[in-house]
Amino acid sequence: MLEILPAEPDDLDAVMAIENLSFACPKSRLLIESELGQNASRFYAAKLGGNIVGFIVFWVVADEIQLIDIAVHPDGRRQKIGSKLFQFMIDYGRRHDLKTVYLEVRPSNKEAMGFYGSFGFKDAGVRKGYYPDGEDAVLMKLCIPS
């Protein structure tokens, strides 16, 4: 059974392996590790049989959530792990009376845009040159249903 638990320092090696397998421009270990100590940050690991198969990092600021990072190990994809992590974040927002979730996504990542759209996210703007390689980001927004 999939468990979603607060990430711990001992989880970082597995999280970094997933990060590096998932993104062309992965975040650094230092950046991801810093999320463990940030007041605004919520960092959760998805564990299956004791093994980390995915993770999600989001910030809570005022009455909003900002998705920072979400990834699933390639061996765990297409098994609804990403959907469960995403739904966990939305449910967290609902339980804490938060109003909105924001995220940025590469316009070239049609699969991710479709995934986010399936949860009701809508385009809310463009951030020019957002990514380190210069690609723009599409800003997407979800009003959390009560």
Side-chain angles (χ1 to χ4, degrees), residues 21-35:
L21 288 166
S22 299
F23 300 105
C25 297
K27 292 175 177 64
S28 71
R29 182 183 182 99
L30 185 61
L31 185 63
I32 290 180
E33 187 174 12
S34 73
E35 296 297 339

Side-chain angles (χ1 to χ4, degrees), residues 15 18-19 22-23 46 53-56 69-73 77 81-82 85:
V15 165
I18 294 168
E19 176 77 11
S22 299
F23 300 105
V53 294
F55 68 93
I56 189 167
D69 204 354
I70 182 172
V72 174
H73 191 282
R77 293 183 187 156
I81 295 167
L85 283 164

Side-chain angles (χ1 to χ4, degrees), residues 109-126:
N109 192 345
K110 302 297 184 200
E111 185 176 0
M113 290 183 73
F115 174 76
Y116 301 141
S118 73
F119 282 88
F121 278 79
K122 305 289 185 213
D123 290 7
V126 174

Side-chain angles (χ1 to χ4, degrees), residues 14-142:
V15 165
M16 286 311 304
I18 294 168
E19 176 77 11
N20 290 324
L21 288 166
S22 299
F23 300 105
C25 297
K27 292 175 177 64
S28 71
R29 182 183 182 99
L30 185 61
L31 185 63
I32 290 180
E33 187 174 12
S34 73
E35 296 297 339
L36 289 170
Q38 303 249 1
N39 280 342
S41 186
R42 307 298 183 268
F43 186 171
Y44 293 91
K47 295 183 179 184
L48 193 57
N51 296 315
I52 295 175
V53 294
F55 68 93
I56 189 167
V57 180
F58 56 93
W59 289 355
V60 175
V61 180
D63 63 352
E64 299 176 356
I65 289 175
Q66 171 67 45
L67 177 65
I68 303 300
D69 204 354
I70 182 172
V72 174
H73 191 282
D75 294 342
R77 293 183 187 156
R78 306 271 182 239
Q79 296 177 35
K80 304 285 185 198
I81 295 167
S83 294
K84 289 176 182 175
L85 283 164
F86 217 70
Q87 190 61 55
F88 176 87
M89 176 185 66
I90 293 167
D91 291 345
Y92 180 99
R94 189 177 296 116
R95 283 192 316 273
H96 292 87
D97 295 320
L98 305 176
K99 306 296 182 216
T100 313
V101 180
Y102 289 97
L103 61 85
E104 291 86 13
V105 61
R106 291 174 181 268
S108 63
N109 192 345
K110 302 297 184 200
E111 185 176 0
M113 290 183 73
F115 174 76
Y116 301 141
S118 73
F119 282 88
F121 278 79
K122 305 289 185 213
D123 290 7
V126 174
R127 297 192 194 279
K128 295 287 184 191
Y130 181 81
Y131 291 101
D133 61 5
E135 187 174 0
D136 294 344
V138 175
L139 177 64
M140 299 185 82
K141 174 183 176 180
L142 171 73

